[in-house]
Amino acid sequence: MQRGIVVAWREKKPLGGISCICRRWYQSEGGVYGYRSKVRKSFVVSEDVLSARNRHSNVYRWVEAYRSHGHNLAQVNPVDFTRKVQTFPELEFSRYGLSEMQEVETHGIISGLSGVMTIKDLENALKKIYCGTVGAEINHIGSEHKKEWLKENFERIRAKRLTKDERREIAELMIKSQSWDNFLATKFPTVKRYGGEGAESMLAFFRQILKSSVRDDIKHIVLGMPHRGKLNLLTIMLQTKPVKIFHKFKGNPEFPADAKAMCDIASHFHVAETLNVDGKEINFSMPHNPSHLEAVNPVSMGKTRSKQQSLRDGAFGEDDTKEFSSEALNLQLHGDAAFPGQGVNQECLFMTGTPHFDIGGTIHMIVNNQLGFTTPSDRGKSSQYCSDLAKSIDAPVFHVNVDDPEALTLITELAYEYQREFRSDVFIDLNCFRRWGHNELDDPTFTNPALYHIIHNRKSVPDKYTDYLVAENEMTQEEVNKIAKGHADFLTSELNQVNTYKPDSWYFRKQWSGMKQAGSEITVWDTGLDYSLLGYIGVKSVAYPENFAIHQHLEKTHVVGRIKKINDGRIDWATAEAMAFGSLMYQGHNVRLSGEDVGRGTFSHRHAMLVDQKTNEIHIPLNAMEGGLGGKLELANSLLSEEAVLGFEYGMAIDNPYNLIIWESQFGDFFNGAQIIFDTYICSGETKWMINNGLVVLLPHGYDGAASEHSSCRIERFLQMTDSSETQPDGDDINIQVINPTTPAQYFHALRRQIVRNFRKPLIVVSPKVLLRLSEAASVPDDFKPGTHFLPVLGDSSVNPSDVKKVILCSGKHYYNLRAERKNRDLKDVAIVRIESLCPFPVHELNSELDKYKNAKSFIWSQEEHRNMGAWSFVKPRFENLLARKIKYSGRYIAATPAVGVGSWHQQEAQYVVTDPFDAK
């Protein structure tokens, strides 16, 4: 489609006789669940303003030069040791044919000023606005509406002054922050606390955000934040009791004794509190952050969207005028080295306006220490500013000097208003410093002596500001001292309570009420349903409106084919999935499936969304299903990202346990692009933080000749990341579940079990490719009936147990190749047992199954994967230690690459892995 057609649609005009209705290639402009086309606000620069600019065109060009280049001369660096004097010829009025005493009417030229001014006076005003303690970057933005709004409101707000009460409130927060850090330095001198020294003004940012949010009746704020200054914020503004931090610093756990948790460091703590601000309540939540900087950002975005879904915000509701972020707001704090250095930030920014990931814009603040660990700012990036990535999405950037908390307050209000007006991202780059090194035990002078000569010889940020207020007669030094002493006394009283402090069990409250931590036993949950209901759901999953132009091939193979399979009682993989989704929706649960091309499915099997072949409109059949309790299906075809998208889905999963959240990797091996999320959140989030989640991860796997990158989902890595024991049976309390199901019914039960249970665990599904259409793998109605459930082990009913001399154990689709080989050989003395649940390892079920084969002499583990891959190294010690039987290996050899890339070699290996188990003695 040509760009001109897109423009024509936006203007509601036909082009060349073609009526184009698609703006995003395919998306329902009438709206689908979770997405609604944004209405572009009309904007026209007024005629009198344009006339004024034309009359004073040279003056206007000069003013625009300040808007474009003024930030280069702005005094935003509080510790500038270079002392370079910069000049920008673009800002010299003489370049534009202007003279000092020339008079000009400012109307239409610059906001916040009115009347006639000389060029010299206008120059002074421009320097104050654009070259003071704030630098603005707005002229890179493509939207004229946004640029005009920003110019007008930035120039207006730069002329504004705070009241005496506002100044005192800010000063008090900063004094308390300094008192907190001084107290910790005295009482816990050997503890890394990642304090806020040098960045205390960030509390002014949060103060203004809270005040602006309650004014507009925001109900939830979700903050993604790393460790720098986190404890200051938690204890001073977010109601975290200091004794909780002191208790942790004393070497104690943060959870009660009955919690199954290993705990984490204090700078990774979270908060979920209802705050009272200006007489109004607002919910503030901060997800835990790992030490992998910026990884929390997509998590905070996903959690925000889940809040919006619960509140029926934006396209989750029926009010067409309600935009995302009307009631739930996302904030993100970044590090100056991490923001340009961590690729997850690019992924998050390009996700921010993507359908089904849109949260209505984020307000960002970069805590710019001008130093990354020991790396100077100019060595940590290629661009001028650490914030330059923001320009990739046309986000405005405001650079602010930390020594001017009043300017930061005003810029925060401007950023908030911009986000409200355009539901778009906006950035504040807070230029500050670290008074100490990377942590308080580090000596930064080893590598940055010039910078730290400046830092160690200047006053602290709070002291500079309070000195200013004292000089302005707005505070006295006695008042400053009283605030500092009062907070120190409060902290002393909190420290005195450490020995009697009992950690709070804050988890399993609010929306998590009714949930609990999994026990050490294995529980079985009835996930079956009446087939008449499932049949109804299956038929509805392919229904479409009468005037809908469906693809002819899909009509024949997908629609008619599915209905025939339902009637014949031969349920394939995609139908079972639709039945699982639809049945949960029927019971009132929302389902979200996210990933690259998930609507169709990588292997063109799912087609959970249909696209009109004439209009490009989307139809999601299950959302038109009548009856039930009204759950909805959201299909989130994602951008080409793994880390940010998986982090986003994890954020949604930790917020609401009653929604089924699924991420599907396009091919199983693509998960490695999201390894940080798996390691720091999914696999260890519960044991570190007591944060549960029922996220489902689908990883297509199978050695089908696709060579190294599209064969293996690396089962071995997930099994190695579990806390399964080799010496005692696993329970439900395993950290993650790993299954390799072989039938559609097993997949159906596993999905429903995620919601039916009263606890939540992440589920890794080694999902199939060839089984999607393999007729032998079809399930029958009895496999779904009430009373049925997921079976960790599938035995072999096709052989007489007393005749069996060899038992082959396997997992996944490899079973069907082994079964075919046994049939070809007409063997009656070999049983094939499928392990459907690898973790928890099904000791009891396996023992019961193997006890049937009293005459079996050998046990073989057969797999497609190489010996150093797959489940072999996981299965062997558990099989031998817990089942007291020896087991032999059969499969591919040890290798560094998951699969060969030569077709003939692959065929030889594929033949070998199905014949060797039967030949082995």
Side-chain angles (χ1 to χ4, degrees):
M1 181 175 293
Q2 300 298 314
R3 179 173 175 80
I5 299 179
V6 178
V7 173
W9 176 86
R10 288 173 179 166
E11 297 175 355
K12 305 293 185 181
K13 297 177 182 178
L15 184 70
I18 301 174
S19 178
C20 176
I21 68 161
C22 89
R23 179 176 173 183
R24 289 186 176 271
W25 314 117
Y26 60 80
Q27 250 340 310
S28 286
E29 296 304 322
V32 293
Y33 184 70
Y35 170 77
R36 184 182 300 125
S37 180
K38 292 183 179 180
V39 177
R40 179 174 292 184
K41 297 177 180 179
S42 60
F43 174 77
V44 177
V45 180
S46 66
E47 289 295 332
D48 66 321
V49 168
L50 290 175
S51 176
R53 293 174 181 177
N54 287 330
R55 288 197 308 273
H56 304 288
S57 58
N58 284 352
V59 176
Y60 182 65
R61 288 170 55 217
W62 175 51
V63 171
E64 282 290 289
Y66 266 91
R67 289 166 174 159
S68 294
H69 305 291
H71 62 88
N72 291 293
L73 297 181
Q75 306 301 303
V76 297
N77 191 346
V79 288
D80 185 6
F81 63 87
T82 62
R83 306 300 184 191
K84 292 180 181 178
V85 178
Q86 289 185 305
T87 59
F88 272 79
E90 295 96 330
L91 303 183
E92 296 175 5
F93 54 76
S94 59
R95 172 176 279 207
Y96 304 91
L98 306 173
S99 58
E100 274 194 10
M101 302 312 295
Q102 181 180 341
E103 294 185 337
V104 60
E105 169 61 54
T106 59
H107 171 70
I109 303 297
I110 188 169
S111 301
L113 301 174
S114 59
V116 177
M117 300 178 69
T118 66
I119 293 298
K120 185 61 179 176
D121 288 341
L122 182 54
E123 181 183 46
N124 291 335
L126 288 170
K127 286 181 177 179
K128 184 177 180 181
I129 294 170
Y130 285 100
C131 304
T133 55
V134 178
E137 290 188 279
I138 56 181
N139 269 16
H140 60 277
I141 298 172
S143 164
E144 183 181 36
H145 187 185
K146 289 181 177 179
K147 278 199 293 189
E148 290 291 330
W149 188 96
L150 285 163
K151 293 173 189 176
E152 177 182 349
N153 287 280
F154 178 73
E155 291 160 2
R156 169 186 58 80
I157 211 161
R158 291 293 287 136
K160 186 178 176 181
R161 286 178 61 83
L162 299 184
T163 66
K164 180 178 179 179
D165 287 343
E166 289 173 325
R167 290 175 164 190
R168 289 174 66 91
E169 286 180 21
I170 293 168
E172 183 171 350
L173 290 172
M174 294 172 64
I175 294 167
K176 288 181 177 179
S177 181
Q178 180 165 266
S179 180
W180 165 259
D181 282 320
N182 290 342
F183 187 87
L184 292 184
T186 301
K187 303 298 182 180
F188 301 94
T190 61
V191 173
K192 299 175 184 178
R193 65 182 188 272
Y194 304 101
E197 293 136 307
E200 290 93 344
S201 290
M202 73 165 68
L203 296 183
F205 166 83
F206 286 108
R207 172 192 170 275
Q208 188 57 51
I209 286 291
L210 287 169
K211 284 182 169 290
S212 299
S213 297
V214 296
R215 181 191 66 210
D216 288 347
D217 295 323
I218 296 289
K219 291 183 172 61
H220 288 276
I221 292 177
V222 181
L223 166 66
M225 180 182 182
H227 47 269
R228 171 86 157 111
K230 188 176 189 179
L231 300 182
N232 306 59
L233 176 63
L234 287 174
T235 58
I236 294 170
M237 298 187 70
L238 301 182
Q239 300 181 173
T240 298
K241 292 178 68 64
V243 66
K244 176 180 179 180
I245 310 300
F246 301 151
H247 184 262
K248 182 65 180 178
F249 282 170
K250 288 282 189 179
N252 299 309
E254 59 268 30
F255 302 117
D258 62 348
K260 300 176 182 178
M262 296 176 67
C263 305
D264 200 3
I265 58 175
S267 55
H268 293 174
F269 279 6
H270 96 309
V271 69
E273 293 287 352
T274 300
L275 308 178
N276 188 295
V277 180
D278 295 340
K280 291 184 176 181
E281 288 190 343
I282 186 167
N283 297 294
F284 195 106
S285 60
M286 178 197 302
H288 293 86
N289 64 296
S291 289
H292 290 67
L293 299 174
E294 310 293 323
V296 72
N297 298 334
V299 175
S300 75
M301 294 171 70
K303 187 168 185 177
T304 302
R305 188 165 173 97
S306 180
K307 298 289 186 192
Q308 292 168 345
Q309 184 176 30
S310 298
L311 293 165
R312 299 183 182 274
D313 206 353
F316 288 122
E318 297 179 357
D319 183 354
D320 290 346
T321 65
K322 193 174 183 181
E323 299 178 89
F324 279 118
S325 191
S326 294
E327 297 184 65
L329 173 65
N330 183 240
L331 307 178
Q332 290 178 31
L333 262 65
H334 309 278
D336 56 304
F339 185 70
Q342 298 296 299
V344 69
N345 289 314
Q346 175 187 316
E347 295 178 32
C348 285
L349 291 185
F350 282 91
M351 189 164 61
T352 188
T354 304
H356 303 287
F357 296 91
D358 185 6
I359 56 171
T362 293
I363 300 175
H364 305 257
M365 185 166 76
I366 300 175
V367 181
N368 187 352
N369 302 308
Q370 306 182 71
L371 192 63
F373 197 55
T374 68
T375 303
S377 178
D378 62 339
R379 303 293 178 91
K381 61 185 187 305
S382 300
S383 60
Q384 180 180 0
Y385 295 116
C386 64
S387 57
D388 283 338
L389 183 60
K391 297 175 186 175
S392 65
I393 59 165
D394 278 5
V397 181
F398 301 102
H399 308 279
V400 185
N401 190 317
V402 73
D403 285 331
D404 193 348
E406 295 180 27
L408 176 60
T409 298
L410 295 170
I411 291 301
T412 300
E413 173 63 8
L414 176 65
Y416 174 84
E417 290 178 359
Y418 176 85
Q419 188 270 341
R420 294 284 88 197
E421 178 68 21
F422 297 104
R423 294 298 198 269
S424 298
D425 288 50
V426 57
F427 280 77
I428 297 172
D429 171 24
L430 180 63
N431 286 253
C432 54
F433 57 92
R434 294 191 319 230
R435 181 158 290 279
W436 312 115
H438 176 67
N439 59 71
E440 290 74 20
L441 310 183
D442 181 37
D443 187 349
T445 61
F446 293 149
T447 52
N448 294 277
L451 173 62
Y452 274 87
H453 178 75
I454 298 289
I455 292 173
H456 290 160
N457 286 279
R458 59 154 283 160
K459 286 191 173 183
S460 70
V461 176
D463 286 350
K464 285 195 72 171
Y465 185 58
T466 54
D467 285 354
Y468 164 71
L469 294 185
V470 169
E472 292 284 307
N473 295 318
E474 296 198 0
M475 290 186 81
T476 65
Q477 190 59 49
E478 289 73 20
E479 289 175 312
V480 173
N481 296 340
K482 183 178 179 181
I483 294 170
K485 184 179 184 304
H487 198 61
D489 290 345
F490 164 68
L491 296 176
T492 298
S493 69
E494 289 282 303
L495 182 60
N496 291 337
Q497 300 174 43
V498 166
N499 292 333
T500 58
Y501 173 75
K502 301 296 183 185
D504 179 31
S505 57
W506 48 262
Y507 34 89
F508 304 129
R509 296 178 182 173
K510 297 183 178 178
Q511 67 267 38
W512 280 83
S513 295
M515 293 289 151
K516 66 177 186 178
Q517 203 167 16
S520 57
E521 73 286 351
I522 294 288
T523 55
V524 176
W525 299 82
D526 180 359
T527 47
L529 291 168
D530 190 276
Y531 190 71
S532 60
L533 173 61
L534 295 179
Y536 165 78
I537 291 169
V539 171
K540 289 298 182 182
S541 72
V542 290
Y544 55 89
E546 186 176 345
N547 59 349
F548 191 88
I550 193 170
H551 193 287
Q552 289 184 352
H553 179 70
L554 290 187
E555 169 69 20
K556 178 181 177 181
T557 61
H558 180 64
V559 178
V560 175
R562 176 166 293 183
I563 293 172
K564 185 178 188 301
K565 290 169 187 172
I566 292 169
N567 291 334
D568 292 346
R570 300 290 295 170
I571 306 304
D572 65 5
W573 209 272
T575 305
E577 180 184 77
M579 288 175 169
F581 290 177
S583 61
L584 290 171
M585 293 163 62
Y586 201 84
Q587 293 171 314
H589 302 282
N590 295 317
V591 178
R592 175 180 165 95
L593 175 61
S594 168
E596 295 148 20
D597 309 301
V598 293
R600 188 200 79 168
T602 298
F603 310 103
S604 197
H605 72 288
R606 178 175 291 124
H607 298 291
M609 69 174 212
L610 304 174
V611 181
D612 191 297
Q613 297 300 294
K614 294 181 179 179
T615 66
N616 247 14
E617 286 282 301
I618 283 180
H619 175 67
I620 299 175
L622 280 174
N623 283 340
M625 179 176 61
E626 297 175 350
L629 299 179
K632 293 293 185 181
L633 170 63
E634 182 174 20
L635 293 171
N637 285 323
S638 74
L639 68 166
L640 198 65
S641 156
E642 281 78 43
E643 182 179 357
V645 170
L646 182 59
F648 192 99
E649 305 311 322
Y650 174 84
M652 294 201 71
I654 62 174
D655 183 66
N656 193 330
Y658 298 100
N659 292 338
L660 179 64
I661 309 297
I662 305 172
W663 179 69
E664 181 176 60
S665 176
Q666 193 170 62
F667 285 90
D669 57 288
F670 284 7
F671 82 88
N672 55 23
Q675 194 68 56
I676 287 174
I677 303 299
F678 281 110
D679 290 347
T680 62
Y681 283 107
I682 295 173
C683 293
S684 59
E686 181 178 355
T687 188
K688 287 193 295 187
W689 308 316
M690 286 296 291
I691 295 294
N692 288 215
N693 81 92
L695 179 67
V696 177
V697 177
L698 306 181
L699 302 176
H701 173 92
Y703 280 58
D704 306 317
S708 58
E709 265 74 58
H710 294 329
S711 295
S712 176
C713 75
R714 295 289 197 167
I715 299 171
E716 66 279 0
R717 293 190 184 175
F718 291 99
L719 294 175
Q720 189 270 335
M721 286 191 286
T722 71
D723 56 0
S724 171
S725 172
E726 295 181 1
T727 58
Q728 60 185 20
D730 294 331
D732 286 334
D733 55 354
I734 209 78
N735 66 327
I736 56 172
Q737 308 158 98
V738 182
I739 67 172
N740 193 0
T742 57
T743 72
Q746 286 281 82
Y747 177 50
F748 167 89
H749 289 300
L751 290 178
R752 285 188 47 79
R753 186 179 65 172
Q754 287 297 99
I755 296 297
V756 169
R757 294 190 294 200
N758 62 355
F759 61 88
R760 294 291 177 263
K761 288 288 182 178
L763 174 64
I764 308 298
V765 181
V766 182
S767 56
K769 293 182 283 186
V770 297
L771 297 192
L772 298 174
R773 295 179 176 84
L774 187 68
S775 59
E776 296 173 74
S779 295
V780 298
D782 279 354
D783 296 333
F784 302 89
K785 67 184 180 181
T788 56
H789 54 86
F790 178 81
L791 298 170
V793 174
L794 292 180
D796 193 341
S797 60
S798 64
V799 293
N800 185 340
S802 61
D803 294 337
V804 171
K805 295 183 175 58
K806 176 187 291 187
V807 178
I808 299 174
L809 297 103
C810 65
S811 188
K813 69 98 171 174
H814 185 48
Y815 162 76
Y816 293 96
N817 293 327
L818 292 173
R819 191 174 73 171
E821 179 66 16
R822 182 179 64 179
K823 182 179 179 180
N824 290 339
R825 296 187 181 208
D826 194 26
L827 297 175
K828 307 297 184 183
D829 60 352
V830 178
I832 306 174
V833 176
R834 288 170 273 176
I835 300 181
E836 301 279 291
S837 170
L838 292 165
C839 184
F841 191 70
V843 173
H844 301 299
E845 293 85 353
L846 262 179
N847 199 48
S848 297
E849 183 62 31
L850 297 182
D851 277 349
K852 298 175 183 177
Y853 308 112
K854 304 296 184 182
N855 299 319
K857 303 298 183 183
S858 65
F859 298 90
I860 307 290
W861 173 258
S862 178
Q863 65 179 38
E864 289 190 302
E865 301 82 14
H866 293 279
R867 187 180 184 120
N868 55 318
M869 303 173 196
W872 165 243
S873 60
F874 182 85
V875 169
K876 183 181 187 293
R878 287 160 182 79
F879 190 88
E880 295 185 347
N881 293 342
L882 300 174
L883 298 173
R885 296 171 171 91
K886 289 293 183 181
I887 190 169
K888 297 178 181 179
Y889 171 80
S890 177
R892 283 174 167 83
Y893 47 88
I894 290 175
T897 304
V900 297
V902 178
S904 59
W905 297 353
H906 168 74
Q907 292 300 327
Q908 292 170 12
E909 291 182 0
Q911 180 66 21
Y912 171 77
V913 296
V914 296
T915 57
D916 183 65
F918 298 98
D919 296 334
K921 300 300 183 182

